[in-house]
Amino acid sequence: MIRLNDISFAYDRSRPVLSHVSLQIGKGERVGIAGANGAGKSTLLKLLVGLLFPDPMGKTPQESGWIGIDGIQVTKKNLAAVRQKIGYVFQDSDAQLFMPTVEKDVAFAPKNYGLDAVQTQKRVEEALSLVGIEDLRKRSVLELSGGQKKLVSLATVLSMRPDILLFDEPTIALDPGNRRRFIRILPELGGTHLIVSHDLDLLLETCGRIILLSEGRIVADGDTETILRDQSLLEANGLELPLLIQGQRLASSADQRTQ
């Protein structure tokens, strides 16, 4: 479903954000992207959805690598086709929501892609129900909490029924209850998921595979449990063990001391 071949990118040519990144993600996979601040995680998502494009960094555009989404190369010419397959939930919900009410925000994309009123309403009903926010439909977006805005942002993306979902820090504004709701509904969403998050416990609970980025390069790619239990690897790349694993180790140490 997703393929990157030798992708590099820099906002400032003196400091690459991504350097020669290649990876493949298969249909139905749920993959976590982990890394310290500045590792290139959010930039990677923006490249996948065509908000940014690979940087030749001294090469010709043909040599700068390419990105494919379900067989379609991500280029300016192909953006409409790519964005019908891929949905992107922004880290900042205010950058994603701009209509006066929740219902109109969720309806915007289906209507913009040419669905009639009946089809659009059906998509709105489905998306609001799936996320569990039917009671917010008539509310002004300006009245919502940060967590509510995050859930509405998810509904706006789900209304297009994308095959691939990209999440940039999806739990950053969620209280514990809504964080748990998000984790619970993830399997119901279907499709292929790519989740960028500093919440390593979220990735541990929801993802079967982790890609660890450091200074714009992939330093590990494999089984979630293996990578997120590797304390030396995580600490060498600016991260700590997930809290769940830290707790397990503390409990184990306490048990050993009492024996």
Side-chain angles (χ1 to χ4, degrees):
M1 293 294 286
I2 300 173
R3 186 171 181 181
L4 286 82
N5 182 61
D6 196 27
I7 293 298
S8 296
F9 182 84
Y11 296 99
D12 174 354
R13 289 298 182 89
S14 66
R15 190 181 69 85
V17 178
L18 294 172
S19 299
H20 307 291
V21 172
S22 296
L23 63 88
Q24 295 184 54
I25 296 172
K27 184 176 182 179
E29 278 196 274
R30 186 176 301 122
V31 180
I33 305 285
N37 288 335
K41 306 182 299 298
S42 294
T43 298
L44 178 60
L45 294 191
K46 291 175 182 177
L47 286 163
L48 290 176
V49 79
L51 292 174
L52 301 172
F53 292 92
D55 187 343
M57 294 179 66
K59 301 180 180 180
T60 68
Q62 291 74 24
E63 296 173 322
S64 66
W66 53 270
I67 300 170
I69 301 296
D70 199 18
I72 303 171
Q73 187 172 358
V74 180
T75 63
K76 291 180 181 179
K77 179 179 67 176
N78 294 336
L79 279 186
V82 167
R83 289 176 180 172
Q84 283 187 302
K85 292 182 172 291
I86 196 165
Y88 178 30
V89 182
F90 286 59
Q91 180 174 337
D92 179 7
S93 299
D94 288 326
Q96 194 157 0
L97 304 174
F98 52 89
M99 298 297 283
T101 67
V102 169
E103 185 174 36
K104 289 182 178 180
D105 245 317
V106 178
F108 179 82
K111 188 181 298 184
N112 195 48
Y113 273 87
L115 274 66
D116 63 32
V118 174
Q119 292 172 313
T120 296
Q121 189 61 30
K122 183 178 180 183
R123 295 287 187 93
V124 171
E125 299 288 348
E126 288 177 352
L128 293 175
S129 175
L130 191 55
V131 182
I133 55 171
E134 300 99 317
D135 58 318
L136 300 180
R137 65 186 308 146
K138 300 298 184 182
R139 294 273 298 277
S140 165
V141 171
L142 298 176
E143 298 174 355
L144 303 181
S145 68
Q148 289 171 327
K149 288 179 181 179
K150 182 69 73 172
L151 295 173
V152 174
S153 295
L154 176 56
T156 66
V157 169
L158 292 178
S159 68
M160 286 302 296
R161 299 178 182 169
D163 298 320
I164 300 167
L165 286 168
L166 309 180
F167 299 94
D168 193 353
E169 298 291 354
T171 60
I172 197 168
L174 300 184
D175 58 32
N178 280 323
R179 179 182 178 277
R180 176 53 47 191
R181 178 193 293 185
F182 174 77
I183 291 172
R184 187 176 66 250
I185 68 175
L186 262 182
E188 302 174 21
L189 304 182
T192 303
H193 301 163
L194 194 55
I195 305 173
V196 162
S197 185
H198 284 105
D199 184 349
L200 297 188
D201 287 271
L202 167 72
L203 301 184
L204 181 66
E205 189 167 352
T206 62
C207 298
R209 173 184 169 194
I210 293 292
I211 295 170
L212 179 59
L213 287 176
S214 182
E215 297 182 350
R217 296 181 181 272
I218 296 176
V219 294
D221 180 354
D223 174 71
T224 296
E225 286 272 346
T226 301
I227 291 175
L228 294 187
R229 289 184 180 275
D230 189 333
Q231 185 170 359
S232 297
L233 173 65
L234 294 178
E235 290 180 352
N237 292 284
L239 300 173
E240 296 183 343
L241 288 169
L243 294 174
L244 175 63
I245 294 174
Q246 291 184 37
Q248 290 172 347
R249 293 191 177 186
L250 286 172
S252 178
S253 297
D255 288 343
Q256 290 174 5
R257 288 196 299 269
T258 59
Q259 289 176 1

